[in-house]
Amino acid sequence: MAASAASYKDRQLLAVIGDEDSVTGLLLAGIGHVTDPPEAQRNFLVVDSKTENTEIERAFVNFTQERKDIAVVLINQHVAERIRHSVDTFADPFPAVLEIPSKDHPYDPEKDSVLKRVRRLFGE
Amino acid sequence: MSGAVGREPVFPTRQSLGLMKSKLKGAEIGHSLLKRKSEALTKRFREITRRIDEAKQKMGRVMQIAAFSLAEVSYAVGGDIGYQVQESAKQARFRVRAKHENISGVLLPQFESYTKEGINDFALTGLGKGGQQIQRCRETYARAVETLVELASLQTAFLILDEVIKVVNRRVNAIEHVIIPRTENTIKYINSELDELDREEFYRLKKVSNKKQRDVAAADAEILAARQKEAERLAQNGTPAQEAKKAEEPEVTDVLGEQEDTDVIF
């Protein structure tokens, strides 16, 4: 079983990858966290049209696989779309990857990797 | 080897028949238990799926409201606060902790959000103007994030349950379609072998008793013939008693000789 108690005990933080507005709003809610100075790491990444896909991918891998203190990764759906392969292949229960809508891109349930599985399971 | 499932490599003895019978019983109990577990999990799974669907719809609405309140903020502040917010974020105020819930032996984590008191990275944000809007925006976003956390725990439960249900169903099918038929086959095999042995044994006994009967009949015929001869001889000679005894005695010991003597134990 993937979910041993130790694997999520010290996961306390949320991470976010998204456009500026989403990140600002979520930071205002108080999820922003910067680790202590030597190799300070932020738990958020602002993506705009100039951000490279590799950078998004690196941040995603960092949040999902390298850091052990993140419980939920929030990612804008249009950003997830750009690294769809990585998002779809990531199937571990921890951290939970959640696709959220952004201001400019309304939410499309058809693209969500989890909802896709839900739909497939129920044959809709 | 009948059917595709085959049988287990055992010797056809009564002992292994007993073993196989108890194994079959165990497999049947296990099958029904696992089936029930799978049903309980599936029920839960469907419920979670439904709730995920609902929560996703709700998330869409909540995020829309939150985005709108952020727009209000940038209108009131009159500029972009994004940079300032990103730079002043230091410690997470909003955190989650995981509890777990036990669904028929499967631990499902549930995230629970809590705010760590005493951390306020944005004390100075909106100090000039728009402080009230920022405050409201923070509250709206905090509510939105709570919804997101709820959704995240549902989603995690969904992923774990999905995996567990697959494993349980695989076990149920393995028991139903491999282990039970194979054990039944083995029992059938052992039974047929034992029957075979029984028949063999019966046949052998019958053969032996036939032989004995034949021997006895032969011995009887001999005795009868001897007596007749004796009688004839007596009729001719006229000295019945002694001769008859002489003739009969060895025959009597012969009849007794067929039975074994009881062992003498010292």
Side-chain angles (χ1 to χ4, degrees):
Chain A
M1 231 353 275
S4 64
S7 69
Y8 56 81
K9 218 166 185 185
D10 37 281
R11 291 184 185 272
Q12 291 196 332
L13 300 176
L14 293 98
V16 57
I17 303 174
D19 61 9
E20 186 163 4
D21 281 343
S22 311
V23 172
T24 307
L26 291 167
L27 289 187
L28 272 179
I31 68 165
H33 190 89
V34 180
T35 49
D36 292 331
E39 63 194 64
Q41 278 182 315
R42 292 168 158 192
N43 66 342
F44 50 91
L45 176 74
V46 178
V47 175
D48 53 26
S49 53
K50 291 196 285 289
T51 314
E52 298 271 338
N53 280 4
T54 49
E55 199 181 329
I56 304 173
E57 191 128 10
R58 203 164 51 234
F60 183 75
V61 170
N62 179 27
F63 292 158
T64 51
Q65 283 153 47
E66 286 158 24
R67 294 187 61 166
K68 299 292 176 210
D69 53 351
I70 290 173
V72 183
V73 176
L74 304 170
I75 182 166
N76 268 147
Q77 199 173 31
H78 70 277
V79 179
E81 209 51 39
R82 287 168 64 174
I83 53 162
R84 176 52 69 195
H85 179 70
S86 306
V87 177
D88 277 354
T89 44
F90 180 78
D92 295 357
F94 292 102
V97 175
L98 206 57
E99 293 178 29
I100 57 172
S102 67
K103 202 168 75 178
D104 310 323
H105 300 77
Y107 187 67
D108 182 3
E110 295 306 313
K111 286 180 185 157
D112 193 310
S113 57
V114 171
L115 272 193
K116 253 191 274 181
R117 282 175 73 175
V118 174
R119 295 278 141 95
R120 200 178 58 224
L121 281 171
F122 287 85
E124 287 166 10
Chain B
M1 291 278 168
S2 62
V5 285
R7 59 172 168 79
E8 300 192 21
V10 291
F11 287 113
T13 57
R14 280 191 198 284
Q15 190 187 12
S16 49
L17 178 68
L19 274 181
M20 282 301 135
K21 274 187 176 162
S22 59
K23 184 172 176 181
L24 181 65
K25 212 170 209 170
E28 270 162 5
I29 291 172
H31 177 253
S32 82
L33 279 177
L34 275 178
K35 193 126 198 165
R36 257 183 276 167
K37 176 174 176 177
S38 154
E39 272 158 17
L41 289 178
T42 311
K43 178 171 169 280
R44 189 66 188 206
F45 187 67
R46 283 178 181 273
E47 190 190 317
I48 282 176
T49 321
R50 194 175 44 77
R51 271 165 61 194
I52 283 184
D53 230 14
E54 281 170 14
K56 289 255 171 185
Q57 310 288 336
K58 188 180 165 196
M59 177 188 77
R61 286 198 305 276
V62 168
M63 291 305 285
Q64 207 175 356
I65 295 167
F68 185 69
S69 81
L70 189 68
E72 265 180 23
V73 167
S74 43
Y75 180 73
V77 174
D80 205 354
I81 60 161
Y83 184 71
Q84 195 190 349
V85 167
Q86 281 164 36
E87 285 310 310
S88 52
K90 288 282 173 285
Q91 286 283 308
R93 192 162 98 68
F94 194 100
R95 294 179 183 223
V96 292
R97 70 165 82 86
K99 290 191 307 180
H100 35 70
E101 198 187 354
N102 195 344
I103 310 284
S104 45
V106 183
L107 290 181
L108 294 183
Q110 262 194 324
F111 296 122
E112 197 185 45
S113 53
Y114 68 101
T115 46
K116 214 169 175 180
E117 297 304 327
I119 297 175
N120 196 352
D121 290 338
F122 308 115
L124 299 177
T125 312
L127 191 62
K129 48 184 175 174
Q132 207 178 6
Q133 275 80 9
I134 286 181
Q135 200 56 40
R136 205 179 310 146
C137 179
R138 285 174 63 175
E139 280 161 19
T140 321
Y141 261 102
R143 273 204 300 280
V145 175
E146 265 165 36
T147 315
L148 293 181
V149 167
E150 192 185 319
L151 186 53
S153 58
L154 284 177
Q155 197 176 301
T156 312
F158 172 82
L159 291 177
I160 292 176
L161 270 184
D162 189 27
E163 194 183 327
V164 172
I165 286 176
K166 261 186 225 155
V167 171
V168 171
N169 279 348
R170 210 175 300 145
R171 281 189 195 149
V172 170
N173 283 342
I175 290 181
E176 191 176 335
H177 295 294
V178 178
I179 294 179
I180 289 184
R182 179 192 289 207
T183 315
E184 276 172 350
N185 252 357
T186 313
I187 289 176
K188 226 182 283 170
Y189 162 75
I190 293 175
N191 270 337
S192 75
E193 286 294 296
L194 286 180
D195 280 357
E196 178 81 26
L197 283 180
D198 268 357
R199 276 195 297 276
E200 231 165 66
E201 183 69 14
F202 183 66
Y203 184 74
R204 199 173 66 81
L205 287 177
K206 219 161 119 181
K207 204 74 177 163
V208 167
S209 79
N210 267 350
K211 213 163 161 124
K212 269 193 177 158
Q213 262 174 2
R214 210 182 51 208
D215 286 354
V216 169
D220 279 355
E222 230 169 78
I223 292 168
L224 218 65
R227 275 192 188 157
Q228 254 167 13
K229 231 186 232 168
E230 229 2 83
E232 275 166 27
R233 208 154 56 86
L234 279 182
Q236 285 171 1
N237 292 356
T239 47
Q242 287 167 355
E243 292 290 326
K245 256 188 185 167
K246 270 181 192 166
E248 236 167 272
E249 236 159 15
E251 293 301 327
V252 169
T253 48
D254 230 21
V255 171
L256 285 175
E258 282 218 338
Q259 296 163 349
E260 276 188 72
D261 286 338
T262 50
D263 290 334
V264 182
I265 300 163
F266 289 100

